[in-house]
């Protein structure tokens, strides 16, 4: 039977929820505080939009540190392969890149938003832009509509909240959904910025700002020297510390206890153990035997990194290569295999890809996304206490939970 459904928030979860609920035959109204839909989608993946990861359900779950068990049902209702088919049917051509990351062939996140816009139009979703919602109306234990910031009330048979978390607040993610959830009797866990660049104590990072390193390995150790995380891939130096894919994923492992203190070690040559690296250094040193040490590392390291390594190795840059001692070479070798940095914090929500924490998922039905406390009130996307690593997994969560909420709203 046709019902009037209100969806709050036109991000990935909200767009999917609204389109799916309308596809089921409901009259759907989508309310968005911004003057356009999909504002956060537009900036994801550096403007290219990594829509999902080309993995089966188990592969998706393996990349979700935040309550993966909760997402079993949602992923089985809309998995990565079905999502890719969904976009192709909307005219969006996709491609799979390294790490099974899925992007639009055009490399334009705008094309993802335009495809979702077509989905809304096709199913006659009524869009209300620049319409911030103040609260959810609840009557006799059921969601009954919304109250807008201007005081106007809109009645409905069901409400889906897809307001995002706290990351990238400039896109409108200012925590409204947590407030709505608490008002409905839900608990919200402690919130942290996740998939976020890390600040470091060492000032030499500033000298390397903009330098990207590929095929490196990072290791993070706690204040007791115990390894807590390692990864292989790409990273970037910034004016405040470090960023890039391996750093963002690493941040998820330490944000809950970051104040306890962590050290980051960068292996610049992971393909070689110390013995092989030493042999390589000897070969390079033989080649540049009569040159200054400052000119002997060109074959081994990016130009920008050389002065920093020389400084940290405490070897005179003017020293002739043929007079470098075995001890100095060993010191250099150790540095190349474990360049140390002291982590002091994160850059916060302004640069965090997602929010870690959210509405306690034990209070949400995983097969419908419906509140266990209020009938016909559903939550989807980042507002829930679920989050993943980089690689398209967080958008898959948003689309899958949004789909489930739209599919099941007002079923009973």
């Amino acid at each position: 039977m046709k019902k009037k459904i209100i969806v709050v928030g036109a991000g990935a979860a909200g767009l999917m929820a609204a389109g799916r609920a309308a596809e089921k035959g409901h009259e759907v109204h989508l309310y968005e505080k911004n003057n356009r839909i999909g504002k956060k989608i537009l900036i994801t993946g550096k403007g290219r939009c990594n829509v999902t990861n080309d993995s089966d359900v188990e592969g998706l779950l393996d990349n979700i540190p935040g309550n993966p068990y909760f997402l079993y049902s949602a992923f089985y209702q809309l998995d990565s392969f079905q999502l890719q088919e969904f976009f192709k049917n909307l005219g969006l051509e996709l491609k799979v890149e390294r790490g099974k990351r899925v992007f639009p062939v055009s490399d334009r996140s705008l094309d993802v938003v335009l495809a979702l816009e077509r989905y809304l139009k096709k199913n006659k979703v009524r869009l209300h832009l620049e319409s911030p919602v103040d609260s959810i109306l609840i009557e006799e234990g059921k969601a009954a509509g919304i109250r807008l910031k201007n005081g106007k009330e809109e009645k409905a048979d069901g409400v889906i909240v897809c307001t995002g978390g706290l990351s990238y607040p400039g896109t409108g993610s200012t925590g409204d959904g947590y407030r709505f959830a608490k008002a409905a009797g839900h608990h919200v866990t402690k919130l942290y910025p996740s998939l976020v660049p890390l600040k470091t104590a060492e000032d030499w990072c500033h000298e390397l700002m903009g330098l990207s390193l590929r095929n490196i390995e990072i290791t993070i150790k706690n204040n007791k020297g115990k390894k807590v995380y390692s990864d292989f891939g790409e990273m970037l130096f910034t004016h405040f510390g470090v960023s890039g894919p391996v750093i963002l994923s690493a941040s998820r492992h330490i944000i809950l206890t970051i104040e306890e203190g962590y050290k980051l070690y960068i292996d610049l040559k992971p393909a070689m153990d110390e013995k092989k690296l030493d042999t390589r250094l000897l070969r390079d040193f033989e080649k540049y035997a009569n040159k200054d040490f400052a000119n002997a590392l060109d074959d081994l390291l990016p130009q920008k990194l050389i002065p920093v390594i020389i400084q940290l190795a405490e070897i005179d840059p003017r020293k002739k290569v043929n007079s470098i001692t075995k001890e100095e070479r060993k010191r250099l070798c150790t540095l190349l295999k474990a360049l140390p940095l002291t982590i002091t914090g994160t850059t916060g929500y302004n640069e965090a890809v997602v929010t870690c924490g959210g509405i306690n998922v034990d209070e949400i039905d995983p097969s419908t996304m419906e509140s266990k406390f209020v009938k016909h009130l559903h939550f989807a996307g980042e507002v829930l206490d679920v989050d993943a690593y980089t690689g398209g997994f967080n958008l898959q969560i948003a689309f899958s939970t949004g789909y489930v909420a739209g599919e099941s709203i007002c079923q009973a």
Side-chain angles (χ1 to χ4, degrees), residues 53-348:
N53 193 279
D54 192 41
S55 298
D56 60 17
V57 170
E58 291 303 320
L60 296 175
L61 293 168
D62 284 345
N63 284 276
I64 293 165
N67 298 316
Y69 67 89
F70 176 77
L71 293 164
Y72 266 98
S73 180
F75 284 164
Y76 275 109
Q77 289 183 65
L78 182 76
D79 64 20
S80 166
F81 310 125
Q82 290 165 313
L83 180 63
Q84 291 177 63
E85 196 60 33
F86 164 82
F87 276 117
K88 285 173 186 172
N89 289 337
L90 289 172
L92 183 71
E93 288 302 309
L94 300 171
K95 60 180 175 178
V96 181
E97 295 188 0
R98 187 168 44 94
K100 297 187 177 180
R101 289 166 156 83
V102 180
F103 291 91
V105 167
S106 66
D107 283 330
R108 286 176 7 128
S109 54
L110 177 61
D111 291 339
V112 178
V113 175
L114 292 174
L116 290 164
E117 195 170 48
R118 289 194 292 275
Y119 184 47
L120 298 187
K121 281 180 180 168
K122 179 186 169 189
N123 293 294
K124 299 180 173 59
V125 172
R126 296 166 203 201
L127 188 57
H128 306 266
L129 296 173
E130 298 178 307
S131 302
V133 173
D134 181 64
S135 56
I136 309 299
L137 302 177
I138 298 169
E139 295 171 7
E140 297 175 2
K142 293 181 182 176
I146 57 169
R147 182 179 291 107
L148 295 163
K149 290 275 189 197
N150 63 13
K152 191 180 177 190
E153 291 188 356
E154 293 290 344
K155 294 289 189 176
D157 299 300
V159 176
I160 305 173
V161 175
C162 306
T163 49
L166 292 170
S167 58
Y168 296 132
T171 63
S173 300
T174 51
D176 296 339
Y178 304 133
R179 187 165 50 79
F180 301 157
K182 286 176 182 175
H186 285 280
H187 295 90
V188 174
T189 66
K190 194 169 178 186
L191 305 168
Y192 302 87
S194 187
L195 303 188
V196 62
L198 297 172
K199 291 181 177 178
T200 57
E202 290 76 10
D203 55 7
W204 52 261
C205 278
H206 184 76
E207 297 168 41
L208 299 176
M209 183 171 66
L211 175 64
S212 179
L213 299 178
R214 290 187 175 182
N215 303 320
I216 51 87
E217 190 170 344
I218 62 160
T219 300
I220 292 184
K221 293 183 180 180
N222 63 17
N223 54 15
K224 291 176 182 149
K226 184 184 175 188
K227 183 166 97 169
V228 295
Y229 184 75
S230 65
D231 198 2
F232 175 88
E234 194 174 330
M235 64 165 285
L236 172 76
F237 288 101
T238 68
H239 64 285
F240 51 77
V242 285
S243 187
V246 295
I247 300 297
L248 298 187
S249 286
S251 73
R252 178 58 179 80
H253 283 261
I254 62 174
I255 46 170
L256 309 188
T257 53
I258 201 160
E259 66 283 348
E260 291 177 13
Y262 289 92
K263 291 281 282 191
L264 167 69
Y265 297 91
I266 306 166
D267 184 346
L268 297 164
K269 299 293 170 186
M272 294 182 265
D273 59 21
E274 288 216 16
K275 192 177 176 186
K276 281 183 182 168
L277 181 57
D278 190 45
T279 304
R280 166 69 194 270
L281 283 173
L282 282 169
R283 197 167 70 238
D284 283 5
F285 284 5
E286 199 176 317
K287 180 180 175 182
Y288 298 110
N290 299 314
K291 290 200 170 189
D292 290 352
F293 176 55
N295 301 317
L297 299 174
D298 290 3
D299 295 351
L300 196 66
L301 296 170
Q303 200 62 43
K304 208 171 183 179
L305 187 56
I306 293 171
V308 170
I309 293 295
I310 288 172
Q311 180 193 339
L312 294 173
E314 297 177 342
I315 301 171
D316 184 349
R318 295 179 301 277
K319 190 171 187 176
K320 294 299 177 190
V321 172
N322 55 21
S323 62
I324 285 176
T325 67
K326 186 179 180 182
E327 187 54 45
E328 286 173 325
R329 201 177 71 243
K330 187 174 188 301
R331 209 158 61 226
L332 176 62
C333 201
T334 301
L335 196 60
L336 295 174
K337 290 298 288 178
L339 181 61
L341 283 163
T342 309
I343 296 166
T344 58
T346 76
T347 55

Side-chain angles (χ1 to χ4, degrees), residues 17-30:
R20 185 58 187 155
E23 212 169 16
K24 297 282 287 182
H26 298 306
E27 177 193 322
V28 179
H29 294 257
L30 176 56

